[in-house]
Amino acid sequence: FVFDDILLIDDNGITEILKRADKKTLTIALKGTSEELQNQFFRNMSSRAVELMKEEMEFMGPIKLKDVEKSHHEVVEIVRQLEEEGVISIGGGGGEDYVS
C-alpha cells in the first residue's frame, strides 16, 4: 500500500484519516500529489478547512522531496493502523457489499 492508493479508500475512511493525521503532516503529504488525490481529502473537509490547507500549501513554498515522502509514510502508517483496527478496508476487498 502506497500513498497514492488512498484513492481506493471510501469517504468514511478518508474522514477517519483526517481525524487522526497531524494537519501539518497531511498538508505536506498532499502538497506534491495529484489534484485527484487532494480532492479525495478536500471533499471530506469543511470548506474553511480546505481553504486554510490550500493557503498553507501556498505559504510553505517548495518542500524537500524527503519531507514529502516522510509525510506520505506517516499517513500510510495511519491507514495501516485503521485497517488493523477494522475501521477501514484496503486492498483485497473486491467490491464486496455490506449491510449495516
Side-chain angles (χ1 to χ4, degrees), residues 17 20-22 74-83:
I17 295 168
R20 296 191 188 199
D22 176 74
E74 289 177 29
V75 174
V76 167
E77 285 303 310
I78 291 168
V79 171
R80 287 191 176 129
Q81 186 178 3
L82 287 167
E83 184 184 36

Side-chain angles (χ1 to χ4, degrees), residues 19-75:
K19 287 180 189 173
R20 296 191 188 199
D22 176 74
K23 297 302 176 236
K24 184 168 179 70
T25 299
L26 196 55
T27 303
I28 292 170
L30 291 175
K31 184 168 172 66
T33 61
S34 69
E35 191 173 319
E36 182 182 16
L37 189 52
Q38 289 177 5
N39 288 334
Q40 177 91 346
F41 283 91
F42 291 164
R43 75 169 175 256
N44 289 286
M45 297 166 61
S46 70
S47 57
R48 180 72 183 130
V50 170
E51 192 178 309
L52 288 171
M53 186 172 277
K54 286 181 176 180
E55 284 176 10
E56 183 68 22
M57 285 177 176
E58 285 181 36
F59 179 72
M60 285 178 163
I63 303 275
K64 291 180 183 172
L65 182 59
K66 70 175 186 170
D67 293 337
V68 172
E69 289 171 348
K70 180 176 183 271
S71 295
H72 284 186
H73 179 72
E74 289 177 29
V75 174

